Amino acid sequence: MSETRVAEVLAELAELEDPKIREVNERRGDDHGVNLGKLRALAKRLKVQQELACRLWETDDTAARLLAILICRPKAFGRDELDVMVREAHAPKVRDWLVNYVVKKNPHSEELRLAWFADPDAVVASAGWALTAERVTRKPVDLDLVGLLDIIEAEMKDAPYRLQWEMNHCLAQIGIEHAEHRARAIDIGERLEVLKDYPTPPGCTSPFAPIWITEMVRRQHA
């Protein structure tokens, strides 16, 4: 992979930079100003290029890393590579995309879920909880749902924001997907009141677990 090719892609990203988009993104901690639709269009044109993806990731530029995630080959990364990547991903959007688009598709995802779940770094732990919420929905066999609810009940209220968000997501998925635990999940949500006042746009479902659970169950039975 030539330096020229990497420089060309970085130049394209620079041309897509929009100060107004950057201003909005920076309020959420995402230091880039590239429209995500245009970013995806660029990724579609580049197609899968694992070596280029790795080089873009190494730049530590947020837009470049988002593009890297879109053009990489998720199964090509080793366990330790992904562990390092999660720990060095400073932007929330990069972390979210890395977990959802790469780690979840990687053969080491379960091993990483277990390793990250109780990590002392709250951001890394949040990745473990995101993977756990995925398992609650798609592969709950051997998961201790009661134990998960115990941890959520004891720790979610005072957890750092990103970790709290993913624990709440897990709580909602348990309530939505597992009727035998639904009443307890709703009760935990009502008592802890996490994200109860979260601003929710019209037409969207509130992330407040009791509302989220009730609405999704209603849709399943509609």
Side-chain angles (χ1 to χ4, degrees), residues 57-129:
W57 183 271
E58 291 170 0
T59 66
D60 196 25
D61 177 81
T62 293
R65 284 186 164 180
L66 291 172
L67 180 60
I69 290 167
L70 294 176
I71 67 171
C72 76
R73 187 174 292 106
K75 294 181 180 180
F77 293 104
R79 178 225 183 269
D80 293 343
E81 285 182 285
L82 291 175
D83 184 71
V84 170
M85 291 168 74
V86 162
R87 294 177 191 279
E88 66 184 16
H90 60 274
K93 181 66 71 175
V94 172
R95 291 194 298 266
D96 289 346
W97 279 23
L98 181 62
V99 171
N100 286 296
Y101 297 167
V102 180
V103 180
K104 287 181 180 179
K105 299 177 182 179
N106 185 274
H108 301 289
S109 62
E110 178 63 10
E111 183 182 354
L112 288 168
R113 182 187 76 83
L114 294 172
W116 292 341
F117 185 78
D119 195 279
D121 184 325
V123 172
V124 176
S126 73
W129 277 90

Side-chain angles (χ1 to χ4, degrees), residues 120 122-123 129 150-168 188 191-195:
V123 172
W129 277 90
D150 289 343
I151 296 172
I152 292 168
E153 187 171 22
E155 301 178 12
M156 183 173 72
K157 181 73 172 180
D158 298 317
Y161 178 74
R162 178 50 54 182
L163 177 56
Q164 183 186 69
W165 182 276
E166 296 299 349
M167 293 176 82
N168 182 72
I188 290 172
R191 285 187 289 105
L192 299 187
E193 298 186 333
V194 169
L195 300 177

Side-chain angles (χ1 to χ4, degrees), residues 113 117-118 129 132 136 140 142-156 167 170-171 174 178 180-181 184-185 188 192:
R113 182 187 76 83
F117 185 78
W129 277 90
T132 300
V136 166
D142 297 330
L143 273 185
D144 180 5
L145 299 180
V146 172
L148 289 174
L149 289 173
D150 289 343
I151 296 172
I152 292 168
E153 187 171 22
E155 301 178 12
M156 183 173 72
M167 293 176 82
C170 190
L171 173 67
I174 291 173
H178 302 277
E180 68 274 24
H181 299 295
R184 185 185 176 194
I188 290 172
L192 299 187

